[in-house]
Amino acid sequence: MITAVYPGTFDPITNGHIDIAARSARIFHRVIIGIYALPKKEVLFDLEERLALAREAVKGYANISVEPYDDLTVDFARKMKARVMVRGLRVNGDFESEFDMAMMNNRLDPNLEIVCFMASPQFQFLSSSIIKEVAKLKGDINDLVPHNVINALYEKFS
Ligand code: ADP
């Protein structure tokens, strides 16, 4: 039984995130999306909102769940009994920061294997921040985020 955690801020969850979680769920028995409570970047959605949006968005996947955490990601993974940490890599700029983080996490817990998935072509340019910018100006974000997230964004910016 291999459990993977997929940690991040998810402010809010996008179809790019869901693609990575769904692809992980085809390989690992259980995937737990870990939503970090205390990111250094300013968030639009509070922890409860980010959790609710992500839970609604993945409710169709039997082996994907969503949990909050506020400690080191390696400690969260240990608590979830996960042997794997999943991250997504987009072509523009993710590699260096992911590499640094992977080296630190490997030092903190050498037993946790870090597995990176290449972002799918249609989601390479997609980030939570660009979605927030476009939604704020009432642009079309269909096909890029789940319906519940579209509604939540338009509500936030109304
Ligand atoms: P963080 O604050 O940890 O970067 P994010 O919520 O922004 O949290 O992202 C979580 C993970 O998902 C990161 O590994 C990030 O690179 C990846 N990710 C973000 N957007 C996409 C996307 N469009 N396609 C694939 N992976 C993505």
Side-chain angles (χ1 to χ4, degrees):
M1 173 85 179
I2 301 179
T3 298
V5 289
Y6 176 29
T9 311
F10 302 100
D11 181 46
I13 194 161
T14 69
N15 287 350
H17 293 129
I18 294 169
D19 179 62
I20 299 293
R23 287 162 59 198
S24 310
R26 277 191 237 131
I27 296 175
F28 306 116
H29 299 99
R30 206 160 66 110
V31 174
I32 302 167
I33 295 177
I35 302 198
Y36 187 50
L38 314 161
K40 45 182 186 212
K41 45 193 177 191
E42 203 183 304
V43 287
L44 176 66
F45 294 101
D46 67 24
L47 178 64
E48 289 311 315
E49 291 172 318
R50 285 180 283 139
L51 277 169
L53 289 173
R55 282 186 174 138
E56 174 71 21
V58 300
K59 69 174 184 209
Y61 297 88
N63 61 339
I64 304 179
S65 57
V66 183
E67 296 296 336
Y69 74 101
D70 60 8
D71 46 359
L72 280 174
T73 310
V74 293
D75 291 336
F76 169 65
R78 207 174 294 133
K79 276 182 214 153
M80 296 295 119
K81 302 196 184 335
R83 274 164 51 192
V84 174
M85 182 197 303
V86 165
R87 297 287 287 174
L89 286 183
R90 287 156 295 181
V91 73
N92 283 327
D94 277 340
F95 180 76
E96 285 184 9
S97 54
E98 290 297 331
F99 194 88
D100 285 354
M101 222 183 317
M103 293 302 102
M104 179 52 81
N105 282 325
N106 180 258
R107 187 174 176 278
L108 293 168
D109 185 352
N111 294 316
L112 183 67
E113 206 53 64
I114 295 147
V115 175
C116 290
F117 285 74
M118 306 294 170
S120 293
Q122 67 274 33
F123 301 129
Q124 280 289 343
F125 67 98
L126 179 58
S127 65
S128 298
S129 14
I130 205 163
I131 281 295
K132 285 180 276 191
E133 257 179 75
V134 175
K136 193 173 184 177
L137 301 170
K138 306 274 181 289
D140 179 9
I141 48 171
N142 260 306
D143 298 334
L144 297 177
V145 288
H147 283 293
N148 64 314
V149 173
I150 297 182
N151 296 338
L153 280 163
Y154 288 155
E155 231 169 75
K156 262 293 173 211
F157 291 124
S158 67

